[in-house]
Amino acid sequence: MRWMIVAAMVALVGCKQQAAENKAPATGAEGAGAPVAKKLTVGFSQVGAESAWRTAETNSIRGEAEKRGVDLKFADAQGKQAQQIQALTSFIAQKVDAIVLAPVVETGWDVVLTRAKEANIPVILVDRGIKTSDESLYTTLIASDFVEEGRMAAEWLAKKTNGKANIYELQGTTGAAPAIDRKKGFEEVLQKYPDMKIVKSQSADFTRAKGKEVMEAFIKSDREQIQAVYAHNDDMALGAIQALDEAGMNPGKDVTLISVDGVKGAFEAMVAGKLNATVECNPLLGPLVFDTINKVRAGEKVEKFIKSNDQLFEQSTAAQVIGSREY
């Protein structure tokens, strides 16, 4: 009988010891505590830093990645598609969890995006779309409606000029979705106004320096004809304002200017009376980008086009709004 009691006590002690070992954190080669979740790794290929808007978008995505503890691999293409393709190829080789791409131009992506698809890496397009033979090569596009931005600019200008104006257009980078679509939307509306016409249109690559250079050429050839300027982004408009100022042409009064983006520099120009209006294009896409990546990784369905809403700001209200602008 005594041996049965002793055996039972030994068994009880053994069970308690095993239970304690099960509750204790693992040590040694096995590591400590619960297994650590793998850090999310995302590759981000950015067009460049050609404008204040572009810099704001980069900062938004980088800042959100840091906030969420995401390992963000950033590549600045400096406006070259070849460098973006090289960056995407590198991201695929590194087996990132997702790729974020702001494409320089619309076409020429099928080969590298096919490689990403074969590697089961979702591709999130930001602020610019692409043209492809297979739309399954990218997961979604997070952007503004560039065509609608062009329409908004044209409708405002028609109202401002009573439907009569000689317009000089500063286009964005040739082949880029914003340049194509903002021109398309603008021209759609002009069809309703026979006395509004685009006299000259030229690319200024979305930069302030080129905006100034192209505007100087317009002034040299057509000084007396220029009544309105439509710029595909604020930076080109700010360059045009400088050229008009230097030529003594009184921008914002004698020449009506409207542009797109809504950066703080545009609001400063409106407050100074030199820019008449800007159509907002929100670059603060970071939170939406990473929310979308998380949904995709969780197997949730996302829309093919996730649209951010924009609005138009006029010179008359710029002073009240400028203090709230984040970019």
Side-chain angles (χ1 to χ4, degrees):
M1 184 70 175
R2 180 180 295 175
W3 69 267
M4 293 178 64
I5 294 172
V6 170
M9 291 177 66
V10 169
L12 180 61
V13 170
C15 288
K16 287 182 177 180
Q17 182 176 351
Q18 184 63 46
E21 288 174 355
N22 289 341
K23 289 180 180 179
T27 58
E30 297 298 322
V36 178
K38 178 179 174 290
K39 193 172 188 180
L40 184 69
T41 302
V42 175
F44 174 31
S45 176
Q46 178 60 287
V47 171
E50 78 282 0
S51 65
W53 189 97
R54 184 67 51 193
T55 300
E57 181 187 66
T58 297
N59 291 342
S60 176
I61 293 175
R62 276 181 149 173
E64 193 66 21
E66 184 177 356
K67 186 189 301 182
R68 299 188 186 208
V70 174
D71 179 10
L72 187 72
K73 299 183 182 301
F74 176 74
D76 183 337
Q78 299 178 332
K80 299 178 178 66
Q81 184 182 32
Q83 289 190 203
Q84 288 201 298
I85 291 173
Q86 184 179 0
L88 265 59
T89 302
S90 174
F91 295 154
I92 295 166
Q94 294 175 70
K95 299 180 180 179
V96 298
D97 297 304
I99 290 172
V100 177
L101 169 64
V104 175
V105 292
E106 287 190 328
T107 58
W109 301 103
D110 284 24
V111 174
V112 71
L113 294 188
T114 296
R115 292 177 190 155
K117 182 180 179 181
E118 290 170 349
N120 293 316
I121 300 173
V123 175
I124 312 298
L125 303 179
V126 290
D127 85 70
R128 296 181 174 189
I130 62 172
K131 288 181 178 176
T132 174
S133 58
D134 180 4
E135 288 201 344
S136 72
L137 296 181
Y138 69 93
T139 302
T140 187
L141 164 63
I142 301 173
S144 297
D145 185 336
F146 299 137
V147 175
E148 181 59 24
E149 290 171 351
R151 293 188 191 113
M152 291 169 68
E155 290 287 7
W156 179 89
L157 188 58
K159 184 178 179 182
K160 178 72 174 178
T161 63
N162 295 316
K164 295 180 180 181
N166 291 330
I167 305 163
Y168 287 73
E169 181 180 34
L170 298 174
Q171 294 187 50
T173 303
T174 302
I180 294 167
D181 290 348
R182 287 170 184 168
K183 182 174 182 62
K184 178 182 177 182
F186 192 83
E187 289 181 343
E188 278 182 14
V189 172
L190 291 196
Q191 292 177 12
K192 300 188 297 184
Y193 301 95
D195 292 327
M196 293 181 71
K197 57 184 178 179
I198 297 174
V199 179
K200 287 187 177 176
S201 180
Q202 187 173 327
S203 171
D205 271 339
F206 287 123
T207 69
R208 188 175 305 199
K210 285 285 285 184
K212 182 176 186 290
E213 179 184 318
V214 173
M215 195 70 233
E216 285 172 340
F218 287 163
I219 292 168
K220 186 175 181 180
S221 62
D222 292 30
R223 182 186 180 103
E224 302 304 320
Q225 304 300 316
I226 301 171
Q227 297 171 334
V229 173
Y230 168 48
H232 289 188
N233 82 337
D234 292 334
D235 281 76
M236 292 188 295
L238 294 173
I241 287 168
Q242 187 178 351
L244 290 164
D245 263 335
E246 291 175 2
M249 293 184 66
N250 209 2
K253 294 183 175 62
D254 296 338
V255 179
T256 302
L257 293 99
I258 183 165
S259 56
V260 184
D261 275 355
V263 300
K264 185 161 283 188
F267 279 81
E268 291 169 349
M270 287 192 290
V271 171
K274 296 181 182 295
L275 179 68
N276 299 91
T278 183
V279 179
E280 180 183 51
C281 182
N282 191 348
L284 306 180
L285 302 178
L288 187 53
V289 164
F290 289 104
D291 284 349
T292 301
I293 290 173
N294 288 340
K295 286 180 180 179
V296 172
R297 286 175 54 76
E300 296 181 35
K301 185 178 179 180
V302 298
E303 296 295 328
K304 200 67 179 178
F305 177 36
I306 300 173
K307 179 181 173 181
S308 58
N309 294 319
D310 303 315
Q311 57 185 312
L312 186 144
F313 295 94
E314 295 184 277
Q315 191 181 91
S316 59
T317 59
Q320 291 94 332
V321 177
I322 191 171
S324 65
R325 302 304 291 172
E326 295 183 51
Y327 56 94

